[in-house]
């Protein structure tokens, strides 16, 4: 017999306080979250405290934090936005992918370096 994963007792919409939009815009699923201070903000709700404690050892993206908390990414965005506004978390944009290097520039550079010999 296989074990059935346990479902959350509290629906995700309760974790967000029933709001439809987070207070802080600009959060992406790859936004990197980290703890701003070693002391938690005052009077945290249980879900906020779980997120804050999860990030104590280091940084995680929103989607990684959501997986650990077993919450939808959208609910985790709400929690993270609340903690950023309270000063308990820092959020930074994801590191963009490196752009492809123009091959012609590299070839001209190589020709120039060979000419220096």
């Amino acid at each position: 017999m296989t074990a059935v994963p346990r479902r959350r007792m509290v629906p995700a919409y309760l974790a967000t306080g029933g709001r439809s939009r987070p207070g802080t815009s600009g959060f992406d699923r790859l936004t990197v979250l980290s703890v701003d201070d070693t002391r938690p903000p005052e009077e945290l709700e249980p879900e906020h405290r779980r997120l804050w404690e999860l990030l104590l050892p280091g940084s995680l993206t929103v989607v990684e934090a959501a997986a650990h908390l077993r919450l939808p990414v959208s609910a985790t965005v709400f929690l993270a936005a609340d903690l950023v506004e309270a000063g308990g978390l820092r959020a930074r944009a994801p590191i963009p992918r490196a752009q492809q290097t123009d091959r012609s520039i590299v070839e001209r550079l190589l020709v120039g370096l060979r000419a220096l010999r």
Side-chain angles (χ1 to χ4, degrees), residues 4-50:
V4 177
R6 291 180 28 175
R7 292 193 62 192
R8 291 184 45 79
M9 297 300 287
V10 178
Y13 66 86
L14 289 179
T16 65
R19 294 172 292 165
S20 62
R21 295 193 192 280
T24 304
S25 62
F27 276 82
D28 184 273
R29 63 187 182 92
L30 295 178
T31 298
V32 179
L33 304 171
S34 58
V35 171
D36 196 27
D37 193 0
T38 56
R39 289 174 288 128
E42 298 290 322
E43 301 178 16
L44 290 178
E45 297 289 326
E47 297 295 331
H48 290 90
R49 180 168 295 284
R50 285 183 56 216

Side-chain angles (χ1 to χ4, degrees), residues 2 9-10 21-22 25 54 57 66 71 73 77 85 97 104 114:
T2 60
M9 297 300 287
V10 178
R21 295 193 192 280
S25 62
L54 176 67
L71 281 173
V73 174
V77 166
E85 287 178 6
R97 287 181 164 239
S104 66
R114 285 183 181 148

Side-chain angles (χ1 to χ4, degrees), residues 94-113:
I95 298 170
R97 287 181 164 239
Q99 295 179 353
Q100 289 284 5
T101 305
D102 185 8
R103 185 174 176 92
S104 66
I105 293 174
V106 175
E107 288 171 354
R108 287 187 292 173
L109 176 64
L110 187 57
V111 167
L113 289 173

Side-chain angles (χ1 to χ4, degrees), residues 79-92:
L79 298 174
D82 291 346
L83 285 169
V84 167
E85 287 178 6
L89 289 184
R90 281 188 310 251
R92 71 169 173 79

